[in-house]
Amino acid sequence: MRTALVGDIGGTNARFALWRDQRLEAVRVLPTIDYARPEEAIRAYLADVGHGVQELQAVCLACAGPVSGDIFSFTNNHWSLSRRAFCADLGLSDLLLINDFSAMALGMTRLRKGELIDICEGQPEPDRARLVIGPGTGLGVATLLPLKNGAWHALPGEGGHVCLPIGTPREAALWAILHRKRGHVNAEAILSGGGLLELYRTSCELDGREPQLTTPAEVTAAALAGEPYAAAVLEQFCTWLGRIAGDNVLTTGARGGVYVVGGIVPRFAEFFIRSGFSRSLRDKGDMSRYFDDIPVWLVTAQYPGLEGAGVALQQALEGTSAG
């Protein structure tokens, strides 16, 4: 292999790296808004790291959204691509395109010491599914399956778009306001970067308060500084994330463990550990004991999506399953 390129493209940023000897090299992060098409971003990346387009032999892109067919439109940014046109432009014979949370799931197989924080203690069942979930620009959800040949299969999905669950009268009141504004209320309406601000504004409307904070970062900073109202909003955010994670565990039978990923939650890790996440995860009535031995980890790795794209490319080249 001359040069393999991997990318992890979300709603805000595109992360690129070279993949050599099953390792990442020359990682760069490019804002998607700065480029009209992914091909332009890749050319800029290659120029920055001193490689020509003609050196590319294999490319794997992990992209936010459902992946199928020739045309792919990104869920949370303005990019789209045609596999055929992409390959023709860059001189490739093929493009491996996978869901971004499939890549994130595969990245869990590459975690190193110090890149996990224990949230719930437990004993993972080695032959069972693992859940990967995390808020970012949207809410990503994927399932990781161990295979008998030692490889891994990642099941993509759009679990961030399931209906937001209601577990308390206050959550019902918040949902009613959201429904009035937007109709269908999915999970990532709240469980995302922009969703945290939406939750703050909706809470203020419910409580007859004038919003004082204008960005998700301000809400988080105020909560961590001990401002009671912002802290209550962030607590509700964590509680809702637990409800969704628990629903997904029951649906997929993820007794291999739960990975909480993405760039948002690690910013308030200590708050998250103390929050109602673990309680709401298990709050499933007669099935609450199902969660007794399921471990939950908060992932702090810097580029797990890129690592997962590399795993997917490696497994594709070797003829094993990647998802």
Side-chain angles (χ1 to χ4, degrees), residues 68-88:
S68 63
D70 178 60
I71 304 296
F72 178 82
S73 295
F74 292 75
T75 300
N76 290 315
N77 69 42
H78 63 286
W79 283 359
S80 64
L81 66 79
S82 157
R83 293 178 196 248
R84 287 192 293 268
F86 182 95
C87 290

Side-chain angles (χ1 to χ4, degrees), residues 6 19 22-24 60 96 98 102-111 144 150-154 304-323:
V6 293
W19 179 257
Q22 301 191 38
R23 292 186 299 109
L24 297 177
C60 175
L96 179 60
I98 64 173
S102 290
M104 184 68 79
L106 291 169
M108 300 303 97
T109 70
R110 301 267 302 182
L111 293 175
L144 185 64
W152 295 84
H153 182 68
L306 278 177
E307 294 276 5
V311 172
L313 183 58
Q314 194 72 37
Q315 293 190 163
L317 294 171
E318 295 170 355
T320 54
S321 180

Side-chain angles (χ1 to χ4, degrees), residues 193-273:
L196 176 59
L197 182 61
E198 181 72 18
L199 177 57
Y200 168 74
R201 289 171 172 167
T202 304
S203 300
C204 288
E205 181 173 342
L206 177 62
D207 297 328
R209 297 172 61 103
E210 186 67 27
Q212 301 297 317
L213 308 173
T214 59
T215 67
E218 287 182 7
V219 176
T220 301
L224 297 183
E227 197 283 309
Y229 197 78
V233 170
L234 192 59
E235 171 69 21
Q236 180 63 66
F237 181 94
C238 296
T239 295
W240 246 322
L241 182 57
R243 292 201 197 288
I244 288 289
D247 286 350
N248 277 277
V249 168
L250 292 177
T251 300
T252 62
R255 296 189 59 81
V258 177
Y259 298 96
V260 179
V261 300
I264 292 179
V265 177
R267 298 172 187 169
F268 50 87
E270 291 300 321
F271 185 102
F272 185 70
I273 292 169

Side-chain angles (χ1 to χ4, degrees), residues 124-293:
E125 295 184 18
D127 59 341
R128 298 295 292 273
R130 301 184 181 192
L131 174 70
V132 184
I133 184 169
T137 304
L139 176 65
V141 182
T143 308
L144 185 64
L145 300 175
L147 305 179
K148 294 186 183 299
N149 62 1
W152 295 84
H153 182 68
L155 294 177
E158 293 299 322
H161 296 273
V162 301
C163 297
L164 185 70
I166 298 171
T168 67
R170 180 171 179 83
E171 289 176 1
L174 290 167
W175 180 92
I177 295 173
L178 290 165
H179 185 265
R180 188 185 73 237
K181 292 179 178 179
R182 54 192 303 145
H184 175 70
V185 184
N186 61 20
E188 75 172 20
I190 293 301
L191 298 175
S192 59
L196 176 59
L197 182 61
E198 181 72 18
L199 177 57
Y200 168 74
R201 289 171 172 167
T202 304
S203 300
C204 288
E205 181 173 342
L206 177 62
D207 297 328
R209 297 172 61 103
E210 186 67 27
Q212 301 297 317
L213 308 173
T214 59
T215 67
E218 287 182 7
V219 176
T220 301
L224 297 183
E227 197 283 309
Y229 197 78
V233 170
L234 192 59
E235 171 69 21
Q236 180 63 66
F237 181 94
C238 296
T239 295
W240 246 322
L241 182 57
R243 292 201 197 288
I244 288 289
D247 286 350
N248 277 277
V249 168
L250 292 177
T251 300
T252 62
R255 296 189 59 81
V258 177
Y259 298 96
V260 179
V261 300
I264 292 179
V265 177
R267 298 172 187 169
F268 50 87
E270 291 300 321
F271 185 102
F272 185 70
I273 292 169
R274 300 191 304 270
S275 76
F277 170 86
S278 299
R279 182 184 67 255
S280 61
L281 175 84
R282 294 175 163 84
D283 185 18
K284 301 300 177 187
D286 292 342
M287 290 301 295
S288 295
R289 298 302 301 272
Y290 185 83
F291 295 84
D292 284 354
D293 296 318

